[in-house]
Amino acid sequence: MTEYERWRNTPLEDPKLTQELEDIADQPEEINDRFYRDLEFGTGGLRGVLGAGTNRMNIYTVRKATQGLANYLNKKKPGGAVAIAHDSRINSELFAKEAAGVLAASGITAHLYPELMPTPALSFAVRYLHCDAGINITASHNPAKYNGYKAYGSDGCQIALEMADRVLEEINSLDIFSDIKHISYEEGVRKGLIRTIPQEVTDAYIEAVKSQSLLHDIDGGLKVVYTPLNGAGRMCVTRVLKEIGIDDVTVVPEQAEPDGNFPTCPYPNPEFREALQKGLELSARLQPDLLLATDPDSDRAGIAVRHNGDFVLLNGNEVGVLLLDFVARMRRRNGTMPDRPAVISTIVSTDMNEPVAAEYGIELFKVLTGFKYIGEKIGELEAKGERDRFIFGYEESYGYLAGSYVRDKDAVNASMLICEMALYYKRQGKTLVDAMGDLYQKHGHYINDLLNFAFEGQDGMNKMSGMMDALRKAAPEQIAGYRVIGHSDYETRIRFDGEEQSPIDLPKSNVLEYRLENGCKLMVRPSGTEPKIKIYLSARGANREEALAIIDKLKEASPKLLGI
């Protein structure tokens, strides 16, 4: 209440925030939710609901986070540089300019993209311009009421834990009003401390994406419907596809223009059929080979495939395995497979990547959830002089990357490769659904599913913490009638196999894994960006029906596992 009253009595630059504070004067629960904590800053930066308060995204929380980043950078090397991008969300452009104003006032040069750009283009710009850090204003695929702030290191990866902790220390030492340096965007431009990223950087990014093309004899032949979901992907995706020869692309008109309200898809996530509904309606009329969708910051890509007269959605694991097989197959055919090829995926992605990688003699690295860990692994290979070993990386949440030119998932790159892959199989009289069926026939039928349990507000955060603590103290002996034969705690970094224990050679993470007697598994982790617990289910069967039956049993048992 003290902090609420301080905000209420401070002349705020945004009158909408002042009005919000007046409107909640007699709503103690709303006041508590907005002020019971500061919006959490971590390796994912900031993400939260727009509005007034310390636990909200607004110009003051953005300025404070940026001042913490600026202080951290200046202690390492005064007068550095930071690249900034933004997507189509409400206040994204405003927050980008506010961040630039703090950096400029702190003596740091801010390089801003002059238009909406995908998240991977920001990762590219950080490295291309030799910046010390990067900022992208986006909340990825969250609903319209959210915005966020992704922070990147000089390597183009989202910041690692050590840097996040140091930046957080700086942030926590600041008063949100009195300790912030800030000049206007216009003054920063006049002083030469706020600069526009030139077109050559965008062109270089596009060329880097195209350098990963694997099908070199494209001359039309594929019909595509594409939706950027009112986000930042349209310019780059359509340009790349046209330049490689895929020019029969129709953009979904209702979702073509940037719009942070996302009027036709309240949850703009290509993982969900509801977000693709307008694209599916258009596809029913135009009958393309493929419906392609990118999320608002264009780092995730989802697809629906025309197959036997219907449009079939493929999930992130299926597309990831298809792309893994396609990249390896084409690299072999083109004579570009490196010695000791490497693929990087995450611990929650499908285990089907193991037999596929083995077929091609590929070393498979598994890292923690979050593409920054894939980016860090690419950096480790590069530091050893082994950058060319990396041929593909993916995570189950629709994030893919071929090539080491960026350190984040890239839906522009993925869109190109998916279209090439669809055309490759079309020439054989197959769809991507057929191609996936061939892989299942060869390697076994793997089914993965994801359950989300949402817990809003302060009570929700406490509930999630309590659930994880309870599981950590007493591992279940069976799940869904299947005996638990081993489990892993990625927080303590210990793997348990019966009475045997072994260390886990990965950073600490709040994840629990349970391995079952039938070769299936279940993993539990709180989301790093949303107030929810995620349960990842994994089953392998001789056929789809057998695998689905196991998944259904695991789904039914999951709430009991959490104690709800």
Side-chain angles (χ1 to χ4, degrees), residues 271-412:
E271 297 181 47
F272 299 127
R273 191 179 191 93
E274 293 80 4
L276 305 184
Q277 190 56 42
K278 287 296 179 183
L280 290 167
E281 291 170 6
L282 182 60
S283 296
R285 297 197 301 274
L286 298 183
Q287 290 295 299
D289 300 294
L290 190 69
L291 167 62
L292 174 68
T294 54
D295 70 341
D297 67 325
S298 198
D299 61 355
R300 301 171 190 243
I303 60 172
V305 179
R306 181 160 59 90
H307 180 76
N308 294 338
D310 198 5
F311 283 88
V312 179
L313 274 67
L314 296 181
N315 63 41
N317 276 311
E318 290 175 319
V319 174
V321 168
L322 278 167
L323 283 172
L324 165 57
D325 179 79
F326 176 68
V327 170
R329 182 187 303 268
M330 297 304 290
R331 287 271 202 152
R332 267 190 181 177
R333 192 183 85 164
N334 297 341
T336 58
M337 183 73 93
D339 293 333
R340 299 169 58 224
V343 163
I344 310 169
S345 190
T346 69
I347 58 174
V348 299
S349 298
T350 179
D351 289 338
M352 190 174 179
N353 52 30
E354 295 174 5
V356 175
E359 179 185 358
Y360 293 98
I362 295 169
E363 184 173 3
L364 175 64
F365 295 97
K366 293 198 174 186
V367 296
L368 294 177
T369 309
F371 217 90
K372 61 178 170 286
Y373 296 109
I374 295 177
E376 287 176 3
K377 193 67 181 180
I378 297 171
E380 288 178 19
L381 292 173
E382 189 174 85
K384 296 178 184 177
E386 301 175 358
R387 181 182 64 181
D388 291 341
R389 288 184 61 200
F390 172 73
I391 63 170
F392 187 62
Y394 82 97
E395 60 184 2
E396 48 74 39
S397 57
Y398 293 56
Y400 319 101
L401 174 68
S404 59
Y405 61 95
V406 295
R407 294 288 190 270
D408 212 335
K409 51 189 176 285
D410 187 350
V412 184

Side-chain angles (χ1 to χ4, degrees), residues 221-225 246 248-250 286-291 426:
L222 191 76
K223 187 174 184 179
V224 179
V225 167
I246 296 175
D248 189 355
V249 179
T250 302
L286 298 183
Q287 290 295 299
D289 300 294
L290 190 69
L291 167 62
K426 182 181 180 182

Side-chain angles (χ1 to χ4, degrees), residues 191-263:
K191 290 183 174 181
L193 287 166
I194 296 180
R195 302 176 185 175
T196 298
I197 294 177
Q199 182 64 33
E200 73 170 83
V201 180
T202 301
D203 293 341
Y205 164 68
I206 295 294
E207 289 303 314
V209 172
K210 288 162 53 184
S211 73
Q212 300 304 312
S213 173
L214 294 167
L215 200 63
H216 304 313
D217 55 346
I218 300 172
D219 185 16
L222 191 76
K223 187 174 184 179
V224 179
V225 167
Y226 167 60
T227 172
L229 297 179
N230 300 115
R234 180 182 177 183
M235 184 274 288
C236 288
V237 170
T238 55
R239 177 178 167 182
V240 164
L241 293 182
K242 183 176 181 179
E243 290 184 10
I244 66 168
I246 296 175
D247 52 12
D248 189 355
V249 179
T250 302
V251 180
V252 176
E254 299 92 338
Q255 297 173 340
E257 299 302 322
D259 187 341
N261 293 297
F262 309 116

Side-chain angles (χ1 to χ4, degrees), residues 307 314 318 321-322 352 425 430-445 542 544:
H307 180 76
L314 296 181
E318 290 175 319
V321 168
L322 278 167
M352 190 174 179
Y425 285 111
K430 296 180 179 181
T431 70
L432 292 180
V433 176
D434 293 323
M436 193 68 228
D438 291 344
L439 290 176
Y440 283 139
Q441 188 73 26
K442 183 186 294 187
H443 300 295
H445 214 104
R544 179 176 176 80

